[in-house]
Amino acid sequence: MSLPPKIAIVGAGPAGCTLARLLVRASIPVTLFEGESSLSVRAQGGTLDLHTNTGLKALREAGLYEEYLKCARYDGEALAVTDKNLKPFIRLGGATEKTSRGRPEIDRARLRQILVEFLPSDTIRWNCRLRSIDHNDLSLHFDHGIETGFDLVVGADGAWSKVRPALIDTKPFYAGIGGYDLFIDDAEIHHPDLHKLVNRGSVFAYSDGKSITGQQRGDGGIIVYATSVRDENWRKTCGYDIQNAGEVKKAIAKEFGDWAEPLVKLTQVANEKTIVARSLYMLPVGARWENRTGVTLIGDAAHLATPFAGEGVNVAMEDALSLAQAIIRSAKAGDTTKILSASVEEFEKEMFPRAAAVQDHSKTNMELMFFTPGAPRTTIDRYVRRALGQGWLIEILLPLWLVRSLLRIFFWW
């Protein structure tokens, strides 16, 4: 009987943990290296909407769908897209499991917790921060020492992947957008007006190359994003201390001074314990590499994109499912390095165009809402059509004039 391959995964985010869970269920040895010391070492961001044919499919295959349902928020499908005056261009209500549009929400922290809790306790090696990967023998160099002996190393280590250089020299570039993540605690209790505004879902406001977004979290809070078109060095040239919450709020209030009061209020009542400055980076659309035996990438490490398509975690979890299936097929076929490498190459060939489409979708949405004069009024028709699908068939069946007419009928603008 052939021995299963030994797999190393670098990065215990949703992609890495999903891959590990799928491999463990197939009795394939896996070691998951994570640089952080625990799940709770830092804030784990906002809320994610998982989609039926990607993220949710991966959870089903991982045997975790029922656990997910315990935390899924179908009312989180409520959505409003407005301009700076809160003039609505899209408004969708919340849902139930039966009426879901296939995009229920879950907090990123809770999703990661589910994935971690259902791995054997010795699968993840916490506090193992990868410093580099040897480009010749693919040995992994950590602070604690060198790890070797793996048949496949999978880089699931995000935007600034340390595994990526073993395959491709391409580095992320600045997308032109920066700003802040802010957090409102117990919004329904302390700020019922803002709780009503977000409607247990999300409100996205765009105008003048800027955006304020509010998203309900499962813990009763609201995560707020205040972003705008900025120079890459904005943190150094902004003229105030980005570590000083009071100065940050004052700067945001000034920058968004002509925006609707409820939108600005989202940023001003946020707690001052956790304000995170953030700059958005991306890899070139369609970036790819030549297959190399013994190493591959998934998720942001493979195809980092801006977050404006709402697909990041879904494509990452689909990567994990597709790669797991490839590894499992190779294990059943034999234990030769050649068979495993061929299976991984098949996975990469499938991933490249699929991921490129998502990258392009996100990049185009960013351009429509941040870099096009008059947005969202002048761009909402194209924005909606792209959300419904891409390609020549959609353009024939949904010409812009039809999308425009439907939006005006339903939203009276």
Side-chain angles (χ1 to χ4, degrees):
M1 181 177 178
S2 60
L3 295 174
K6 292 178 63 177
I7 311 298
I9 304 170
V10 181
C17 287
T18 300
L19 177 59
R21 168 68 178 177
L22 292 164
L23 295 178
V24 165
R25 279 168 62 84
S27 300
I28 293 176
V30 56
T31 302
L32 180 48
F33 297 99
E34 169 55 45
E36 295 178 347
S37 58
S38 71
L39 268 176
S40 58
V41 71
R42 64 181 174 89
Q44 294 296 319
T47 181
L48 307 168
D49 56 311
L50 300 187
H51 305 167
T52 302
N53 295 322
T54 51
L56 292 182
K57 182 180 179 181
L59 285 181
R60 288 181 188 275
E61 293 294 326
L64 297 175
Y65 184 68
E66 295 302 320
E67 289 297 320
Y68 160 80
L69 286 180
K70 297 176 183 178
C71 307
R73 294 184 286 107
Y74 290 93
D75 54 358
E77 293 186 30
L79 168 70
V81 178
T82 79
D83 66 8
K84 65 182 180 181
N85 299 311
L86 280 176
K87 183 177 183 178
F89 291 83
I90 299 173
R91 191 182 297 280
L92 300 172
T96 65
E97 186 175 356
K98 290 184 178 180
T99 63
S100 173
R101 295 181 290 273
R103 291 173 174 255
E105 297 280 336
I106 185 172
D107 288 3
R108 188 184 190 279
R110 186 68 186 102
L111 173 63
R112 192 179 182 212
Q113 184 179 6
I114 291 172
L115 290 166
V116 169
E117 287 180 351
F118 281 84
L119 288 172
S121 59
D122 60 349
T123 301
I124 302 180
R125 292 178 56 181
W126 298 98
N127 208 25
C128 291
R129 186 170 301 280
L130 183 66
R131 294 304 178 187
S132 65
I133 181 171
D134 189 285
H135 290 203
N136 296 314
D137 63 9
L138 300 180
S139 57
L140 301 173
H141 294 243
F142 297 92
D143 287 340
H144 68 264
I146 299 174
E147 300 281 349
T148 61
F150 298 102
D151 298 298
L152 178 66
V153 174
V154 181
D157 49 339
W160 304 103
S161 171
K162 298 294 186 179
V163 179
R164 187 191 298 128
L167 287 167
I168 186 173
D169 292 331
T170 306
K171 297 180 180 180
F173 65 90
Y174 182 56
I177 305 292
Y180 296 95
D181 302 356
L182 307 99
F183 302 87
I184 301 174
D185 301 317
D186 299 318
E188 187 172 10
I189 297 173
H190 300 299
H191 304 285
D193 55 330
L194 300 182
H195 176 78
K196 183 178 179 180
L197 173 66
V198 173
N199 193 25
R200 297 187 182 277
S202 303
V203 57
F204 297 87
Y206 300 98
S207 285
D208 310 325
K210 307 173 189 177
S211 174
I212 292 178
T213 296
Q215 291 187 305
Q216 179 79 44
R217 298 204 305 181
D219 62 2
I222 295 174
I223 184 169
V224 181
Y225 305 99
T227 53
S228 61
V229 176
R230 299 168 184 242
D231 181 86
E232 186 172 9
N233 295 318
W234 68 271
R235 300 183 194 212
K236 297 179 180 179
T237 61
C238 62
Y240 58 90
D241 181 3
I242 64 172
Q243 302 298 324
N244 184 305
E247 291 188 27
V248 168
K249 286 185 175 183
K250 184 177 179 180
I252 293 174
K254 181 178 180 180
E255 182 178 10
F256 292 87
D258 61 342
W259 283 51
E261 188 274 337
L263 292 171
V264 179
K265 184 177 178 181
L266 283 169
T267 70
Q268 299 304 297
V269 300
N271 74 59
E272 300 194 354
K273 298 176 295 183
T274 311
I275 296 180
V276 181
R278 193 175 302 280
S279 299
L280 300 185
Y281 286 79
M282 60 183 290
L283 285 169
V285 174
R288 59 179 63 200
W289 57 87
E290 292 295 324
N291 173 258
R292 178 177 179 184
T293 297
V295 61
T296 193
L297 305 171
I298 60 174
D300 285 348
H303 42 70
L304 177 65
T306 55
F308 302 111
E311 295 282 358
V313 72
N314 287 285
V315 70
M317 293 175 72
E318 188 175 10
D319 290 349
L321 176 58
S322 181
L323 179 56
Q325 291 170 338
I327 294 170
I328 293 167
R329 283 196 306 270
S330 73
K332 291 179 179 179
D335 63 350
T336 68
T337 301
K338 184 176 181 180
I339 292 174
L340 177 59
S341 182
S343 295
V344 171
E345 185 172 15
E346 288 179 13
F347 152 74
E348 291 171 342
K349 289 179 178 179
E350 179 275 330
M351 176 185 65
F352 289 143
R354 171 172 54 81
V358 173
Q359 286 179 298
D360 181 67
H361 187 185
S362 184
K363 179 174 178 287
T364 300
N365 282 352
M366 178 183 70
E367 292 169 346
L368 289 173
M369 291 307 192
F370 285 92
F371 295 96
T372 304
R377 178 183 56 82
T378 59
T379 60
I380 193 66
D381 311 321
R382 284 172 284 170
Y383 181 88
V384 169
R385 187 169 73 177
R386 290 187 65 84
L388 294 173
Q390 302 175 53
W392 62 269
L393 184 60
I394 289 293
E395 293 183 8
I396 292 175
L397 296 177
L398 282 174
L400 285 176
W401 66 265
L402 178 58
V403 175
R404 187 176 300 116
S405 298
L406 291 172
L407 285 172
R408 282 158 176 74
I409 290 171
F410 284 104
F411 300 110
W412 300 98
W413 56 272

